Amino acid sequence: MSASLPGNREPPESQYDLSTYWGRVKQTATITDPRTLFAGQHGLEQAKKLLVAYKQGEIKDMTPELWKAKKIVDSTLHPDTGEPVFLPFRMSCFCLSNLVVTVGMLTPGLQTTGTVLWQITNQSLNVAINYANANKSTPLSYSKIAQSYFLAVGASCSVALGLNAVVPRLRRLSPSTKLVLGRLVPFAAVASAGVLNVFLMRGEEMRAGIDVFPVLSDSDKARLAAEGKAESDVPSLGKSRKAATLAVGETALSRVFNCTPIMVVPPLLLVRLQRTEWLRRNPRLTMPINVGLILGMSYIALPFALAAFPQRQRIAADSLEAEFHGRGGEGGLVAFNRGI
């Protein structure tokens, strides 16, 4: 993000009030905007030049062009490393990357082999996205990544196959109810394995802790600028396991918030539509309708899910380990990157 660029004058964090949920929704909608994917390397470099010019005082005020540049930088660069996130794993590409996988998992009448293959594909994508967007202050070894991957794949396949076997045996339920429950099996598998995936992929953060920083007041920022320093030059207070647990837990919850409408609403709507005379006469339209429902719901749900918790989270220093007590910045608070 912009904090990794040279210069000691940080631009405003957002155009919106990030202390409110609706402000975070609007901010998240900007960094998940798929149009930023078309900026390319040239567009990213131009955006970085504009932000550097602002941070070095060459540009005095934020302009629409600068906000657009910040949008490109924030949606492309990892906030910890300052390096571009691999394009398919950026949040601005999240809906498109997940589209094929989600359509595959929600295909009506999927057999055992198809269920297993799509669950493996989904968890492979989840591992890649979780790793690419995690807090990078505590690196994860390749052996831990492999272990997390196989455990998440095992969990998702077990839930999906188990429920697929159980639902048809529920004799007291009507055929229509069984049909609806069968369509919701992928949701149960994705939600449970998605949470497990986040905790496994980011378990090292909870064991070793993540960097926390004092929240700077306006006077602190002015003092740093006078000294020729940037906010990114402020050293970490240390690594906190409690902050890491909060960060990982909130990320796992946001994954559930995101997959719930995507994995529940389209299949239920499709069940209703398949009962209409129009779709019965035009069965070839089932797949395009399914794709459209999933893509539309994905773009609606993602900003609301990711905005449930701030990406740059603040917490009272006294609520962390004893070593951080009394060391908070403004208001006794410390900040850390939650990850996405």
Side-chain angles (χ1 to χ4, degrees), residues 199-253:
F199 276 96
L200 290 172
M201 281 298 298
R202 298 182 61 181
E204 192 61 28
E205 293 176 31
M206 294 188 291
R207 286 186 288 272
I210 59 175
D211 286 326
V212 296
F213 302 85
V215 172
L216 301 178
S217 64
D218 290 338
S219 60
D220 292 330
K221 295 174 183 178
R223 177 176 52 80
L224 285 171
E227 295 173 355
K229 296 180 180 178
E231 292 177 35
S232 56
D233 294 326
V234 176
S236 165
L237 296 175
K239 292 184 181 292
S240 168
R241 291 187 295 276
K242 288 186 177 181
T245 301
L246 177 63
V248 175
E250 289 181 348
T251 301
L253 275 176

Side-chain angles (χ1 to χ4, degrees), residues 159-173:
V159 172
L161 295 177
L163 290 178
N164 277 336
V166 168
V167 170
R169 298 178 184 176
L170 300 175
R171 298 178 181 178
R172 296 183 180 181
L173 300 180

Side-chain angles (χ1 to χ4, degrees), residues 3-17:
S4 61
L5 301 177
N8 54 25
R9 180 179 173 229
E10 292 297 332
E13 192 173 1
S14 173
Q15 291 175 277
Y16 312 108
D17 182 2

Side-chain angles (χ1 to χ4, degrees), residues 266-300:
L268 294 183
L269 286 177
L270 192 61
V271 167
R272 293 294 299 272
L273 291 171
Q274 286 177 317
R275 292 171 180 168
T276 64
E277 189 63 31
W278 173 74
L279 196 54
R280 286 176 179 174
R281 291 197 308 266
N282 301 279
R284 66 185 182 279
L285 297 177
T286 299
M287 181 58 75
I289 289 172
N290 197 25
V291 171
L293 288 172
I294 292 170
L295 185 61
M297 186 53 62
S298 296
Y299 277 114
I300 292 171

Side-chain angles (χ1 to χ4, degrees), residues 105 115-116 118-127 130 147-161 163 185-202 251-253 255-256 259 263:
M105 290 189 294
T115 298
V116 170
W118 281 117
Q119 289 296 333
I120 290 174
T121 304
N122 181 55
Q123 291 309 315
S124 301
L125 180 60
N126 281 348
V127 164
N130 288 337
Q147 181 186 27
S148 301
Y149 170 70
F150 287 114
L151 285 172
V153 167
S156 63
C157 290
S158 299
V159 172
L161 295 177
L163 290 178
V185 165
F187 162 66
V190 168
S192 57
V195 170
L196 180 63
N197 194 313
V198 171
F199 276 96
L200 290 172
M201 281 298 298
R202 298 182 61 181
T251 301
L253 275 176
R255 289 287 193 274
V256 176
C259 76
M263 302 296 290

